[in-house]
């Protein structure tokens, strides 16, 4: 379940910082490895204790696996917890509002990656931010488990979103410091790390969902907290084995600027509190707020980059070439991320979850995608390797992803019109297989092309733009749920399916001019 946020190719990102790229240092650490000095990545060159990889990888592997276990485990039961009635153990929230909150929360996770990367690049270093973020995540799951009602939801989701963003932005960077640039085990190490991500994403919904159906929602949230605690304990014992490079601050914030930055942070927090207390930000418009913040942030990034005098004509052209890819990415994630909103509701209301007389928990549907990711990632890698220069260009891959994603929504139509629990489980398995094919055409490819198109002075800002496309798409996925009607789902799947296909077709027709703007990048 990579959805762009878990790809082994991720690098930290930072917000605009004048005309400079905040945090290029840690991004470079992720992509170029460390050095051979004592205490750095070179020490891992002869360490093969973890399946042929440095033993330090086991600790990052573990904390990331358990973080994904807790993240997807909690998210698998979050929506139904919000809208289930009190007699079912839920909060009885309006279904549309609940889905909007889930979408806004998902978008906030990607917005938080920008903050987490900036803190690592300018203040603390990637390894420290990773450790602190894991603690924050565990506290968030504990809040969901122990605090009652909406207080637990509010405190818990804020902490998990901020913590997940910080961990997501820095875990891959830490892995990158374990290897020198010439280490032939590097790709295999990232592949093993990626396996841990999807193993956690697979097991989380299974176990938390099972506990939720047997003992209740708070037990499921508690298991997510336990999982994160296990990862944190393991990582705590292994932190000292990580190279010193992982704790370096690439571009330290000058001491005379720290107080103003703290002031801006406090002012921002106070502003948010005031907006909440005055009713400007409410549960029913939270998704719209996150969409707006993501859109404004993306616009600022594009303006800062495109108006900079530090760009060569070729670099500026490449940034313009990224614009249609960005818009297609937003459209793609708007549909793909409905796995956690509309598909959850559909699985609850329409899916036949009966297996030999036993009813499968709703959250188990979320474990299907990680299995396909694990299986198909190697297949796609082999295909692209085999095709070499003959493989489709990036705009074509993006357009194919959008078209296939739209087709996946149309695959719901043959099962429309049925009553409760009328859609066969195998149908959802097949549809999620199509989801995964679309994802693998865009998610890892998107991060890769973003780094290729990025100007030298704005490397991290361009990666931030890709994450912002996911933030916008995820929030839109929550906002769209208001138009989904369980008993009349045909218009919803039909319209969104054809919109995605149209976006893909338009990009396909624009392939030549987009490639011309990309100036040699395919």
């Amino acid at each position: 379940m990579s959805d762009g946020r878990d790809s082994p190719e991720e690098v930290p990102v930072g917000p605009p910082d004048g005309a400079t790229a905040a945090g290029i240092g840690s991004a470079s650490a992720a992509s170029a490895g460390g050095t051979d000095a004592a205490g750095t990545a070179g020490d891992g060159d002869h360490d093969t204790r973890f399946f042929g990889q440095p033993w330090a990888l086991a600790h990052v592997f573990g904390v990331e696996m358990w973080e994904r276990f807790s993240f997807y485990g909690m998210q698998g039961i979050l929506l139904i917890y919000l809208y289930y009635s009190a007699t079912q153990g839920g909060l009885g929230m309006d279904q549309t509002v609940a889905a909007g909150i889930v979408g806004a929360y998902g978008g906030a996770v990607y917005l938080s990656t920008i903050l987490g990367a900036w803190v690592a690049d300018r203040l603390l270093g990637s390894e420290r931010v990773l450790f602190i973020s894991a603690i924050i995540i565990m506290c968030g799951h504990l809040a969901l488990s122990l605090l009652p009602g909406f207080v637990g939801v509010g405190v818990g989701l804020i902490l998990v979103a901020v913590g997940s963003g910080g961990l997501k932005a820095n875990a891959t960077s830490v892995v990158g410091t374990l290897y020198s640039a010439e280490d032939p085990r590097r790709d295999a190490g990232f592949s093993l790390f990626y396996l841990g991500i999807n193993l956690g994403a697979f097991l989380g919904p299974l176990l938390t969902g099972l506990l939720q159906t047997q003992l209740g929602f708070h037990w499921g949230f508690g298991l997510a907290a336990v999982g994160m605690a296990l990862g944190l304990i393991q990582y705590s014992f292994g932190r000292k084995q990580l190279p010193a490079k992982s704790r370096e601050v690439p571009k330290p914030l000058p001491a005379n600027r720290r107080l103003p930055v703290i002031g801006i942070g406090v002012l921002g927090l106070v502003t948010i509190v005031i907006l909440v207390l005055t009713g400007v930000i409410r549960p029913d418009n939270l998704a719209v707020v996150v969409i707006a913040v993501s859109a404004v942030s993306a616009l600022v990034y594009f303006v800062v980059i495109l108006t900079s005098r530090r760009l060569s004509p070729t670099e500026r052209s490449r940034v313009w070439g990224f614009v249609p890819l960005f818009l297609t990415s937003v459209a793609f994630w708007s549909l793909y991320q409905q796995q956690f909103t509309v598909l959850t509701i559909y699985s609850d209301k329409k899916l036949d979850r009966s297996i030999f007389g036993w009813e499968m928990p709703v959250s188990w549907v979320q474990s299907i995608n990680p299995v396909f990711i694990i299986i198909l990632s190697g297949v796609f890698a082999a295909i692209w390797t085999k095709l070499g220069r003959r493989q489709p260009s990036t705009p074509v891959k993006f357009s194919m992803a959008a078209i296939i994603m739209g087709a996946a929504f149309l695959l719901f139509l043959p099962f429309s019109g049925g009553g409760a629990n009328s859609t066969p489980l195998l149908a959802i398995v097949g549809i999620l297989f199509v989801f995964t094919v679309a994802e693998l055409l865009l998610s890892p490819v998107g991060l890769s092309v973003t780094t290729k198109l990025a100007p030298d002075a704005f490397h991290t800002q361009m990666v931030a733009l890709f994450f912002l496309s996911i933030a916008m798409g995820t929030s839109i996925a929550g906002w769209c749920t208001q138009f989904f009607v369980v008993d009349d789902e045909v218009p919803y799947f039909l319209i969104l399916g054809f919109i995605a296909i149209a976006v893909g077709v338009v990009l396909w027709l624009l392939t030549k001019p987009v490639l011309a703007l990309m100036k040699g990048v395919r």
Side-chain angles (χ1 to χ4, degrees):
M1 191 172 292
S2 66
D3 59 19
R5 56 199 183 270
D6 301 320
S7 169
E9 296 169 284
E10 281 185 18
V11 291
V13 295
D17 184 22
T20 64
I24 289 178
S26 65
S28 300
S31 59
T35 66
D36 291 325
T40 62
D43 289 337
D45 288 350
H46 306 292
D47 183 358
T48 59
R49 289 176 291 167
F50 186 61
F51 299 100
Q53 303 294 325
W55 181 249
L57 179 63
H59 304 298
V60 189
F61 174 98
V63 73
E64 180 73 4
M65 183 189 73
W66 285 111
E67 188 273 332
R68 293 291 88 183
F69 173 94
S70 64
F71 181 90
Y72 286 111
M74 180 274 284
Q75 191 153 295
I77 61 176
L78 175 61
L79 178 56
I80 56 176
Y81 172 62
L82 294 176
Y83 75 72
Y84 269 17
S85 65
T87 57
Q88 296 172 295
L91 298 180
M93 183 180 289
D94 177 78
Q95 183 176 284
T96 298
V97 176
I101 290 174
V102 172
Y105 154 74
V109 169
Y110 299 106
L111 286 173
S112 295
T113 61
I114 299 171
L115 175 63
W118 187 88
V119 172
D121 289 344
R122 308 304 302 274
L123 297 174
L124 299 176
S126 289
E127 192 280 326
R128 294 186 186 90
V129 174
L130 190 157
F131 181 65
I132 294 170
S133 297
I135 295 173
I136 294 173
I137 293 168
M138 184 184 68
C139 291
H141 290 300
L142 284 173
L144 280 163
S145 175
L146 300 176
L147 297 180
F150 294 106
V151 173
V153 171
V155 174
L157 292 188
I158 290 172
L159 291 177
V160 174
V162 172
S164 295
L167 193 145
K168 188 184 306 299
N170 291 285
T172 307
S173 176
V174 172
V175 174
T177 64
L178 303 180
Y179 304 92
S180 65
E182 298 78 20
D183 196 326
R185 302 170 302 162
R186 185 181 180 85
D187 288 349
F190 273 103
S191 296
L192 190 60
F193 177 67
Y194 194 50
L195 174 64
I197 288 170
N198 285 286
L199 187 60
F202 168 70
L203 293 174
L206 290 181
L207 297 182
T208 56
L210 185 61
L211 206 59
Q212 172 259 316
T213 57
Q214 298 299 316
L215 299 174
F217 283 101
H218 289 284
W219 288 92
F221 294 136
L223 181 61
V226 170
M228 191 65 253
L230 290 174
L232 188 58
I233 291 170
Q234 176 193 354
Y235 184 72
S236 298
F237 285 112
R239 288 181 70 198
K240 293 181 180 179
Q241 299 180 31
L242 292 170
K245 184 77 173 178
S246 66
R247 287 178 283 276
E248 290 182 1
V249 181
K251 189 182 178 185
L253 191 69
N256 61 352
R257 291 184 58 187
R258 291 180 182 177
L259 189 60
V261 167
I262 293 173
I264 292 172
V266 171
L267 179 62
L269 183 61
V270 171
T271 301
I272 293 173
V273 171
I274 292 174
L275 292 175
V276 171
L277 293 177
T278 56
V280 176
I281 297 177
R282 307 179 306 275
D284 62 332
N285 71 356
L286 196 56
V288 175
V289 171
V290 178
I291 292 170
V293 171
S294 302
V296 170
S297 300
L299 182 61
V300 169
Y301 272 112
F302 273 118
V303 170
V304 168
I305 295 172
L306 288 169
T307 58
S308 172
R309 296 180 179 179
R310 301 179 66 184
L311 266 64
S312 68
T314 295
E315 288 178 325
R316 184 168 284 106
S317 178
R318 286 175 174 172
V319 174
W320 280 113
F322 180 72
V323 172
L325 301 181
F326 174 89
L327 296 175
T328 304
S329 180
V330 171
F332 171 83
W333 295 114
S334 299
L335 270 65
Y336 180 88
Q337 294 292 67
Q338 292 190 38
Q339 286 185 79
F340 309 109
T341 54
V342 166
L343 184 57
T344 296
I345 297 171
Y346 190 93
S347 300
D348 180 34
K349 305 290 181 67
K350 302 281 289 187
L351 183 63
D352 180 6
R353 293 178 281 110
S354 178
I355 303 175
F356 302 113
W358 174 74
E359 187 172 69
M360 181 184 84
V362 174
S363 66
W364 281 27
V365 174
Q366 306 299 335
S367 291
I368 297 172
N369 173 260
V371 174
F372 286 137
I373 287 290
I374 293 171
I375 295 172
L376 294 179
S377 293
V379 174
F380 270 75
I383 291 173
W384 302 144
T385 301
K386 179 72 173 178
L387 290 175
R389 294 292 297 176
R390 293 180 292 114
Q391 66 183 279
S393 64
T394 296
V396 171
K397 290 177 181 177
F398 267 58
S399 62
M400 290 170 63
I403 291 170
I404 293 172
M405 195 65 239
F409 264 50
L410 298 182
L411 289 176
F412 283 97
L413 298 180
F415 308 99
S416 62
N421 310 121
S422 60
T423 302
L425 180 59
L426 282 178
I428 294 299
V429 173
I431 291 171
L432 286 174
F433 174 84
V434 180
F435 269 56
T436 306
V437 171
E439 176 187 1
L440 289 172
L441 283 166
L442 186 140
S443 179
V445 175
L447 280 166
S448 176
V449 75
T450 300
T451 59
K452 293 176 184 177
L453 294 174
D456 289 340
F458 294 94
H459 189 272
T460 54
Q461 276 84 342
M462 284 286 285
V463 179
L465 278 169
F466 186 77
F467 281 114
L468 284 172
S469 74
I470 306 176
M472 285 182 65
T474 303
S475 303
I476 292 171
W479 175 79
C480 283
T481 310
Q482 63 184 298
F483 304 109
F484 178 68
V485 180
V486 174
D487 297 327
D488 185 23
E489 70 269 36
V490 172
Y492 186 85
F493 290 125
L494 191 66
I495 292 172
L496 289 186
F498 276 119
I499 288 176
I501 291 172
V503 169
V505 170
V506 169
L507 180 60
W508 198 312
L509 295 175
L510 293 175
T511 296
K512 286 187 177 180
V514 171
L515 283 174
L517 288 171
M518 290 167 64
K519 299 293 184 184
V521 174
R522 283 181 49 86

